[in-house]
Amino acid sequence: MTVKRNSRELLIETASKLFRIRGYYGVGLNDILNESGVPKGSLYHYFPNGKEELAIEAINHTKMIVFNGIQACFEKIEDPIEAIQTHILQLSEIFSEANNLLGVPIGTIAAETYSTCEPIRIVCQSVFENWQSLFTKKLFESGFSEKHAKELSIVINALIEGGIIYSQTSNSGEPLRVIAGKIPLLLIKNG
């Protein structure tokens, strides 16, 4: 049986996809409506405050997609080095596909709105912290000190975000594969 998604879900999923690909300012409400096929009245019914409100929901939607992917990988693989490498290598495969339209999970929207839209900046900061919490937990459970695990999680997340941008611009997953290969050098227990 096919599960029918409601208009609210369609708007969030469509906005999430378009914002990842084109950024906040590169997407208008009409783009979201045209892509989703949802009537304009539904958009304002579910998101009376417009684009910013929809963007926050779309960012949180993207957050959970990425969070669930990382968590699933970490649940399958106990070793933190292998788990983090596997996660990054899985990302690299996406960029090896022809006509990949993944976009950057939230990097584009974060970069273009950090000084112009405080509510979106705050939600993007929260998303980065959410993803980093998974890395921190995995490293801490593997014997890294809490401080070292937190610091490493910032570095890992920054490497991944930068690697995604580099992979996008080069139309190749190679930058992410290189990053995955260097993870063992980064994850040295010294703190």
Side-chain angles (χ1 to χ4, degrees):
M1 180 177 180
T2 305
V3 176
K4 184 178 178 188
R5 297 176 299 172
N6 68 32
S7 294
R8 183 176 191 281
E9 291 170 340
L10 278 171
L11 288 166
I12 291 169
E13 289 171 13
T14 303
S16 171
K17 180 181 91 173
L18 292 176
F19 289 141
R20 286 191 318 260
I21 297 167
R22 297 182 358 212
Y24 184 73
Y25 294 115
V27 176
L29 290 177
N30 285 333
D31 297 321
I32 295 166
L33 291 170
N34 290 338
E35 179 89 12
S36 69
V38 172
K40 193 173 201 172
S42 294
L43 181 126
Y44 288 105
H45 169 75
Y46 292 113
F47 304 100
N49 296 317
K51 184 178 176 181
E52 183 179 296
E53 183 179 12
L54 176 56
I56 288 170
E57 288 298 319
I59 292 165
N60 281 317
H61 174 77
T62 300
K63 171 186 82 173
M64 292 313 301
I65 291 170
V66 174
F67 183 91
N68 291 336
I70 297 169
Q71 190 170 41
C73 185
F74 285 9
E75 287 173 358
K76 291 179 189 167
I77 303 169
E78 187 174 333
D79 177 67
I81 293 172
E82 184 183 346
I84 292 167
Q85 284 181 305
T86 300
H87 167 63
I88 297 170
L89 289 170
Q90 287 172 345
L91 289 173
S92 77
E93 292 303 313
I94 293 167
F95 291 97
S96 297
E97 297 171 5
N99 300 319
N100 165 52
L101 292 177
L102 171 72
V104 180
I106 65 161
T108 301
I109 200 169
E112 67 181 356
T113 61
Y114 78 93
S115 66
T116 58
C117 186
E118 186 66 3
I120 291 178
R121 185 202 65 75
I122 289 169
V123 77
C124 288
Q125 177 186 354
S126 172
V127 170
F128 285 134
E129 291 170 353
N130 176 267
W131 296 339
Q132 288 164 201
S133 73
L134 288 171
F135 297 119
T136 299
K137 181 178 183 227
K138 186 71 168 175
L139 294 168
F140 181 71
E141 289 174 349
S142 300
F144 288 81
S145 72
E146 184 176 359
K147 179 182 184 296
H148 195 54
K150 283 181 180 179
E151 290 171 349
L152 286 170
S153 74
I154 292 169
V155 173
I156 292 164
N157 199 52
L159 285 170
I160 291 170
E161 290 294 316
I164 288 171
I165 292 169
Y166 196 3
S167 290
Q168 263 188 320
T169 58
S170 65
N171 281 327
S172 166
E174 185 61 19
L176 285 163
R177 286 190 288 277
V178 170
I179 290 168
K182 300 300 178 187
I183 291 297
L185 299 174
L186 178 65
L187 299 184
I188 299 169
K189 293 181 188 175
N190 63 0

